Amino acid sequence: MNLVIKRVDDDDRLAPLRALLAPAWTVQVADTADSAAFAAALADADAVISMNWPPTYPAAPRLRLLQLPGAGTDDIDFASVPPTAAVCNAFEHEIGIAEYVLAAMLEWTIGLRRLDAEFRQGRWYGSWLCGPRHGDLYGKTLGILGYGRIGREVARRASAFGVRVIAASRTPAPGDGWVGAVRPMDALHAVLAESDFVLVTVPLSEDTRGLVNAAAFAAMRPHGVLINVGRGATVDEAALFEACRARRIGGAVIDTWYQYPPQGGGAIPELRPSRFPFHELDNVIMTPHACAWSEALAHRRCRAMADNLNRLAGGAPLANVVRPPLSTQPQGDHA
């Protein structure tokens, strides 16, 4: 069976994959810049690993699995994916993201960076000798928007710190020991009004694009802090900048953005992540979409993807199916 990996994706993120695949698989690396070679590769592909599938891709009549190496499906044109193919995604990022979120809340509350910077200058700022006192995470309220895998991992860890966790989701549910009853998304503003920290984990869709807007920021507490680890576009870019600039909210920790450099090339890219100067605001912590990028992530994801590919080769049911095959008949076969 033939697995196609785009050249731009064939780096250390997928390095553990080949050793985990069953012998039935042959791996071909194809460069999308070489249109003829890429078309030939897709023509023979039983499976493709890719985070995107635009309408411009060549035909893939044998395709049975489009395996995403991540969770988000916002860059997949499902109408263009061959009907014979299942679309499956991969998770395993929730551990790293949950640890990032706790680190962000602790840093915001305690301020280790500032204590360190002041003390390096010989100033005992924040000490018991002269203050000021830092905060406690214990007793704070965390509101989670979108209560899936990431939300649950964050809630589990936050609860251990004595944080009260509330949540709103497209799929309301009973409590699970870390959060009380998960509220419907139309309770969004009520959740914001109760929260010291607001964590955005919703996937990007037309329903969630701009979900956190000016009205949502108006509903937040004046000291409330927004943390976005979902997709940048779920939070209105202009409204977020203005809420932070005007200090209508306490600030934000932003890891997912509005402008990205092209993937690949080897060198560390340089590009401002927004059309607004968030980097000028002292109440914003900025990171470059790094929250999940832990040392163990690549191996966990490759193991999950290899397991799914081996399931396909062995005729077993697939895992993490976003869209099942719509047809078992290859494209162009009208017999």
Side-chain angles (χ1 to χ4, degrees):
M1 299 184 71
N2 297 322
L3 169 65
V4 172
I5 300 173
K6 292 186 299 183
R7 187 168 301 282
V8 72
D9 294 319
D10 190 34
D11 57 20
D12 61 343
R13 292 168 297 173
L14 297 182
L17 181 70
R18 288 171 173 81
L20 299 169
L21 290 173
W25 286 104
T26 298
V27 179
Q28 181 177 358
V29 178
D31 194 337
T32 55
D34 185 339
S35 56
F38 187 58
L42 286 192
D44 290 333
D46 296 289
V48 171
I49 293 178
S50 179
M51 278 301 291
N52 55 38
W53 193 280
T56 55
Y57 270 7
R62 292 177 45 181
L63 194 69
R64 296 171 58 195
L65 172 61
L66 173 58
Q67 176 65 62
L68 278 63
T73 62
D74 46 284
D75 210 14
I76 303 296
D77 182 63
F78 284 93
S80 300
V81 177
T84 54
V87 179
C88 299
N89 59 0
F91 297 95
E92 310 301 327
H93 56 314
E94 54 270 23
I95 294 172
I97 293 178
E99 292 181 359
Y100 171 99
V101 171
L102 264 294
M105 292 195 296
L106 286 165
E107 169 57 32
W108 197 277
T109 303
I110 297 173
L112 287 181
R113 294 183 306 164
R114 184 170 181 181
L115 292 172
D116 175 78
E118 294 283 352
F119 202 44
R120 287 175 186 273
Q121 300 300 318
R123 292 187 288 267
W124 290 68
Y125 172 92
S127 76
W128 66 273
L129 296 169
C130 57
R133 299 173 179 143
H134 63 70
D136 296 321
L137 195 55
Y138 180 89
K140 297 292 193 300
T141 296
L142 168 65
I144 301 177
L145 308 184
Y147 195 68
R149 293 170 184 255
I150 296 171
R152 285 190 292 272
E153 289 296 323
V154 172
R156 177 188 302 176
R157 289 161 175 77
S159 296
F161 279 79
V163 174
R164 171 182 174 242
V165 183
I166 59 178
S169 175
R170 294 174 298 174
T171 52
D176 58 7
W178 301 302
V179 64
V182 178
R183 309 177 197 183
M185 199 56 82
D186 59 14
L188 168 67
H189 286 193
V191 169
L192 298 177
E194 295 179 41
S195 302
D196 300 295
F197 293 94
V198 174
L199 175 64
V200 183
T201 72
V202 292
L204 179 60
S205 67
E206 288 311 306
D207 291 335
T208 62
R209 187 178 297 276
L211 174 70
V212 183
N213 54 22
F217 289 119
M220 284 180 62
R221 293 178 170 182
H223 65 272
V225 178
L226 182 94
I227 305 173
N228 191 6
V229 297
R231 285 289 188 266
T234 61
V235 180
D236 184 278
E237 183 180 9
L240 173 58
F241 179 78
E242 183 58 22
C244 292
R245 186 200 65 79
R247 299 189 181 273
R248 293 174 186 159
I249 63 173
V253 179
I254 313 170
D255 187 59
T256 52
W257 290 96
Y258 306 94
Q259 299 176 168
Y260 283 82
Q263 182 182 338
I268 297 176
E270 294 185 10
L271 177 73
R272 293 292 186 193
S274 170
R275 57 196 174 96
F276 296 100
F278 282 94
H279 57 281
E280 296 178 357
L281 304 181
D282 63 3
N283 60 342
V284 172
I285 295 176
M286 304 170 61
T287 53
H289 206 140
C291 61
W293 206 236
S294 68
E295 292 179 353
L297 175 66
H299 189 80
R300 288 197 302 264
R301 274 195 170 162
C302 284
R303 183 172 293 282
M305 288 188 289
D307 178 68
N308 225 21
L309 289 159
N310 294 339
R311 284 169 178 260
L312 180 69
L318 298 175
N320 300 327
V321 176
V322 177
R323 191 203 76 178
L326 304 179
S327 170
T328 58
Q329 192 176 46
Q331 290 175 294
D333 186 349
H334 302 292

